[in-house]
Amino acid sequence: MKGSLLFVLGGLSGAAIAMMPKAAAHLHAATHAIHGDRAAPGVRAHTEEKFSFTAHAAMERVWPLFGADKERAWAPGWDPRFLYPQPASDERGMVFTAAHDHLSSIWVNTDFDTRNGRVQYVYVIPGVLVTVITLKLKSEENQTRVEVQYDRTALRAEADDHVREMARQDRKAGPDWEKQINQYLEKRKGS
Protein backbone atom coordinates (compact mmCIF):
# COMPACT_ATOMS: atom_id res chain seq x y z
CA MET A 1 0.00 0.00 0.00
CA LYS A 2 2.81 2.38 0.93
CA GLY A 3 4.51 1.82 -2.46
CA SER A 4 1.33 2.49 -4.45
CA LEU A 5 0.63 5.65 -2.39
CA LEU A 6 4.11 6.94 -3.20
CA PHE A 7 3.55 6.07 -6.85
CA VAL A 8 0.24 8.03 -6.92
CA LEU A 9 1.77 11.01 -5.08
CA GLY A 10 4.73 10.98 -7.45
CA GLY A 11 2.42 10.91 -10.46
CA LEU A 12 0.34 13.79 -9.12
CA SER A 13 3.47 15.82 -8.41
CA GLY A 14 4.72 15.19 -11.93
CA ALA A 15 1.37 16.24 -13.41
CA ALA A 16 1.39 19.43 -11.31
CA ILE A 17 4.89 20.30 -12.51
CA ALA A 18 3.90 19.61 -16.12
CA MET A 19 0.93 21.97 -15.78
CA MET A 20 3.01 24.87 -14.40
CA PRO A 21 3.82 26.45 -17.81
CA LYS A 22 0.14 26.31 -18.80
CA ALA A 23 -0.90 27.82 -15.47
CA ALA A 24 1.71 30.58 -15.87
CA ALA A 25 0.45 31.33 -19.39
CA HIS A 26 -3.13 31.43 -18.12
CA LEU A 27 -2.14 33.76 -15.26
CA HIS A 28 -0.27 36.01 -17.72
CA ALA A 29 -3.33 36.17 -20.01
CA ALA A 30 -5.65 36.92 -17.08
CA THR A 31 -3.34 39.68 -15.81
CA HIS A 32 -3.14 41.13 -19.32
CA ALA A 33 -6.94 41.12 -19.58
CA ILE A 34 -7.34 42.86 -16.20
CA HIS A 35 -4.82 45.58 -17.02
CA GLY A 36 -5.94 46.04 -20.61
CA ASP A 37 -3.49 46.84 -23.38
CA ARG A 38 -0.88 48.35 -21.05
CA ALA A 39 2.35 46.45 -20.56
CA ALA A 40 3.98 46.08 -17.14
CA PRO A 41 6.56 48.74 -16.23
CA GLY A 42 9.77 48.17 -18.15
CA VAL A 43 8.05 45.90 -20.71
CA ARG A 44 7.62 47.55 -24.09
CA ALA A 45 4.56 47.20 -26.30
CA HIS A 46 4.80 44.37 -28.81
CA THR A 47 2.16 43.63 -31.43
CA GLU A 48 1.66 40.92 -34.04
CA GLU A 49 -0.91 41.51 -36.76
CA LYS A 50 -1.69 39.55 -39.92
CA PHE A 51 -3.80 40.11 -42.97
CA SER A 52 -4.10 38.40 -46.32
CA PHE A 53 -5.47 39.15 -49.75
CA THR A 54 -5.52 37.85 -53.30
CA ALA A 55 -3.56 39.45 -56.12
CA HIS A 56 -5.26 38.79 -59.45
CA ALA A 57 -2.23 37.59 -61.38
CA ALA A 58 0.13 34.65 -61.50
CA MET A 59 2.98 34.44 -59.00
CA GLU A 60 5.59 35.35 -61.65
CA ARG A 61 3.95 38.76 -62.11
CA VAL A 62 3.14 39.40 -58.45
CA TRP A 63 6.35 38.24 -56.76
CA PRO A 64 8.65 41.05 -58.00
CA LEU A 65 6.21 43.71 -56.77
CA PHE A 66 7.13 42.98 -53.15
CA GLY A 67 10.76 43.96 -53.59
CA ALA A 68 11.43 47.42 -52.15
CA ASP A 69 12.44 48.87 -55.54
CA LYS A 70 9.54 47.42 -57.57
CA GLU A 71 6.99 48.29 -54.87
CA ARG A 72 7.35 51.95 -55.89
CA ALA A 73 5.21 51.12 -58.95
CA TRP A 74 2.05 50.35 -56.99
CA ALA A 75 2.42 51.76 -53.44
CA PRO A 76 1.66 55.50 -53.28
CA GLY A 77 4.31 57.47 -51.39
CA TRP A 78 6.76 54.56 -51.17
CA ASP A 79 10.20 55.94 -52.06
CA PRO A 80 13.08 53.95 -50.54
CA ARG A 81 16.62 55.36 -50.78
CA PHE A 82 18.94 52.44 -51.48
CA LEU A 83 22.27 52.24 -49.71
CA TYR A 84 22.97 48.72 -50.99
CA PRO A 85 23.01 47.53 -53.69
CA GLN A 86 23.79 50.30 -56.12
CA PRO A 87 22.05 50.68 -58.45
CA ALA A 88 18.87 49.71 -56.58
CA SER A 89 18.01 46.04 -57.01
CA ASP A 90 15.56 43.79 -55.19
CA GLU A 91 17.60 41.05 -53.57
CA ARG A 92 18.30 39.46 -50.21
CA GLY A 93 20.39 41.78 -48.05
CA MET A 94 19.26 45.06 -49.61
CA VAL A 95 19.61 48.03 -47.25
CA PHE A 96 17.70 51.28 -47.64
CA THR A 97 16.12 54.15 -45.76
CA ALA A 98 12.54 55.37 -45.94
CA ALA A 99 10.64 58.34 -44.55
CA HIS A 100 7.95 57.87 -41.87
CA ASP A 101 6.28 61.23 -41.44
CA HIS A 102 9.05 63.36 -39.87
CA LEU A 103 11.19 60.33 -38.96
CA SER A 104 13.54 58.14 -40.97
CA SER A 105 13.79 54.36 -40.83
CA ILE A 106 16.58 51.97 -41.72
CA TRP A 107 15.48 48.82 -43.56
CA VAL A 108 17.24 45.51 -44.17
CA ASN A 109 15.86 42.70 -46.27
CA THR A 110 16.47 39.43 -44.43
CA ASP A 111 14.75 37.05 -46.87
CA PHE A 112 13.95 37.29 -50.58
CA ASP A 113 13.20 33.65 -51.41
CA THR A 114 11.48 33.34 -54.78
CA ARG A 115 11.25 29.55 -54.69
CA ASN A 116 9.42 29.46 -51.35
CA GLY A 117 7.48 32.70 -51.86
CA ARG A 118 8.83 34.45 -48.77
CA VAL A 119 9.97 38.04 -48.30
CA GLN A 120 11.01 39.59 -45.01
CA TYR A 121 12.12 43.05 -43.97
CA VAL A 122 13.30 44.38 -40.64
CA TYR A 123 13.21 48.11 -40.10
CA VAL A 124 14.19 50.33 -37.21
CA ILE A 125 13.13 53.85 -36.40
CA PRO A 126 16.00 54.62 -33.99
CA GLY A 127 14.82 55.15 -30.44
CA VAL A 128 11.19 54.47 -31.41
CA LEU A 129 10.42 50.99 -32.71
CA VAL A 130 11.53 47.85 -34.54
CA THR A 131 9.26 46.24 -37.13
CA VAL A 132 9.53 42.84 -38.81
CA ILE A 133 7.39 42.44 -41.93
CA THR A 134 7.00 38.92 -43.29
CA LEU A 135 5.21 38.20 -46.56
CA LYS A 136 4.28 34.73 -47.76
CA LEU A 137 3.08 34.32 -51.33
CA LYS A 138 1.33 31.23 -52.61
CA SER A 139 0.31 30.50 -56.18
CA GLU A 140 -3.38 29.67 -56.61
CA GLU A 141 -3.84 28.90 -60.32
CA ASN A 142 -3.73 32.32 -62.06
CA GLN A 143 -3.84 34.26 -58.79
CA THR A 144 -1.50 34.75 -55.85
CA ARG A 145 -2.48 34.58 -52.20
CA VAL A 146 -0.46 37.04 -50.11
CA GLU A 147 -0.18 36.84 -46.33
CA VAL A 148 1.43 39.76 -44.52
CA GLN A 149 2.50 39.80 -40.88
CA TYR A 150 3.69 42.85 -38.96
CA ASP A 151 5.55 42.31 -35.66
CA ARG A 152 6.27 45.61 -33.94
CA THR A 153 8.14 46.38 -30.71
CA ALA A 154 8.46 49.76 -29.02
CA LEU A 155 11.98 50.76 -28.00
CA ARG A 156 10.89 53.17 -25.25
CA ALA A 157 7.80 53.80 -23.14
CA GLU A 158 6.83 56.90 -25.14
CA ALA A 159 6.47 54.73 -28.25
CA ASP A 160 4.15 52.12 -26.71
CA ASP A 161 0.94 53.90 -27.76
CA HIS A 162 2.36 54.56 -31.23
CA VAL A 163 3.09 50.85 -31.71
CA ARG A 164 -0.45 49.95 -30.62
CA GLU A 165 -1.92 52.51 -33.03
CA MET A 166 0.20 51.13 -35.88
CA ALA A 167 -1.12 47.65 -35.03
CA ARG A 168 -4.71 48.93 -35.31
CA GLN A 169 -3.84 50.31 -38.76
CA ASP A 170 -2.10 47.05 -39.73
CA ARG A 171 -5.29 45.10 -38.94
CA LYS A 172 -7.18 47.15 -41.54
CA ALA A 173 -4.47 47.34 -44.24
CA GLY A 174 -5.37 44.23 -46.28
CA PRO A 175 -8.14 45.78 -48.43
CA ASP A 176 -5.93 48.78 -49.31
CA TRP A 177 -2.99 46.59 -50.33
CA GLU A 178 -5.30 44.39 -52.39
CA LYS A 179 -6.89 47.36 -54.15
CA GLN A 180 -3.57 49.07 -54.91
CA ILE A 181 -1.79 46.02 -56.26
CA ASN A 182 -4.77 44.80 -58.30
CA GLN A 183 -5.31 48.23 -59.85
CA TYR A 184 -1.65 48.23 -60.84
CA LEU A 185 -1.87 44.69 -62.25
CA GLU A 186 -5.04 45.56 -64.20
CA LYS A 187 -3.37 48.61 -65.79
CA ARG A 188 -0.38 46.48 -66.81
CA LYS A 189 -2.39 43.46 -67.98
CA GLY A 190 -1.28 43.67 -71.58
CA SER A 191 2.32 44.60 -70.79
Side-chain angles (χ1 to χ4, degrees), residues 37-40 42-48 123-132 151-167:
D37 240 0
R38 304 279 175 215
V43 177
R44 299 288 45 91
H46 176 81
T47 62
E48 298 174 8
Y123 78 81
V124 177
I125 299 177
V128 180
L129 64 89
V130 175
T131 300
V132 179
D151 298 334
R152 299 185 190 275
T153 304
L155 296 177
R156 61 181 184 203
E158 297 81 10
D160 286 346
D161 288 338
H162 184 66
V163 165
R164 289 186 197 99
E165 177 55 32
M166 291 179 85

Side-chain angles (χ1 to χ4, degrees), residues 43-60:
V43 177
R44 299 288 45 91
H46 176 81
T47 62
E48 298 174 8
E49 298 295 336
K50 276 186 185 180
F51 61 85
S52 58
F53 63 92
T54 301
H56 303 300
M59 180 87 133
E60 305 80 54

Side-chain angles (χ1 to χ4, degrees), residues 95-133:
V95 179
F96 54 93
T97 62
H100 290 267
D101 297 320
H102 63 284
L103 300 172
S104 181
S105 58
I106 303 156
W107 291 64
V108 177
N109 174 272
T110 57
D111 199 359
F112 202 71
D113 184 350
T114 307
R115 187 180 337 165
N116 293 307
R118 183 177 149 86
V119 181
Q120 186 174 68
Y121 296 95
V122 175
Y123 78 81
V124 177
I125 299 177
V128 180
L129 64 89
V130 175
T131 300
V132 179
I133 305 170

Side-chain angles (χ1 to χ4, degrees), residues 6-180:
L6 287 175
F7 178 76
V8 170
L9 288 174
L12 289 173
S13 296
I17 290 169
M19 292 299 292
M20 286 179 119
K22 289 182 182 177
H26 179 71
L27 181 59
H28 175 75
T31 303
H32 198 63
I34 291 168
H35 297 291
D37 240 0
R38 304 279 175 215
V43 177
R44 299 288 45 91
H46 176 81
T47 62
E48 298 174 8
E49 298 295 336
K50 276 186 185 180
F51 61 85
S52 58
F53 63 92
T54 301
H56 303 300
M59 180 87 133
E60 305 80 54
R61 286 191 61 213
V62 174
W63 168 261
L65 299 175
F66 292 104
D69 188 40
K70 299 286 188 289
E71 188 175 334
R72 298 177 213 245
W74 64 272
W78 178 245
D79 190 25
R81 304 284 182 210
F82 273 73
L83 303 172
Y84 172 83
Q86 285 292 329
S89 174
D90 291 323
E91 59 188 63
R92 186 177 189 281
M94 60 185 124
V95 179
F96 54 93
T97 62
H100 290 267
D101 297 320
H102 63 284
L103 300 172
S104 181
S105 58
I106 303 156
W107 291 64
V108 177
N109 174 272
T110 57
D111 199 359
F112 202 71
D113 184 350
T114 307
R115 187 180 337 165
N116 293 307
R118 183 177 149 86
V119 181
Q120 186 174 68
Y121 296 95
V122 175
Y123 78 81
V124 177
I125 299 177
V128 180
L129 64 89
V130 175
T131 300
V132 179
I133 305 170
T134 306
L135 298 99
K136 295 177 184 172
L137 287 74
K138 183 178 179 195
S139 182
E140 294 181 346
E141 295 183 21
N142 288 329
Q143 300 189 103
T144 305
R145 189 75 181 154
V146 182
E147 181 182 281
V148 181
Q149 179 165 337
Y150 280 92
D151 298 334
R152 299 185 190 275
T153 304
L155 296 177
R156 61 181 184 203
E158 297 81 10
D160 286 346
D161 288 338
H162 184 66
V163 165
R164 289 186 197 99
E165 177 55 32
M166 291 179 85
R168 282 188 279 279
Q169 293 172 15
D170 296 338
R171 269 181 238 132
K172 301 183 289 186
D176 286 338
W177 280 47
E178 184 171 40
K179 179 181 176 186
Q180 291 168 11

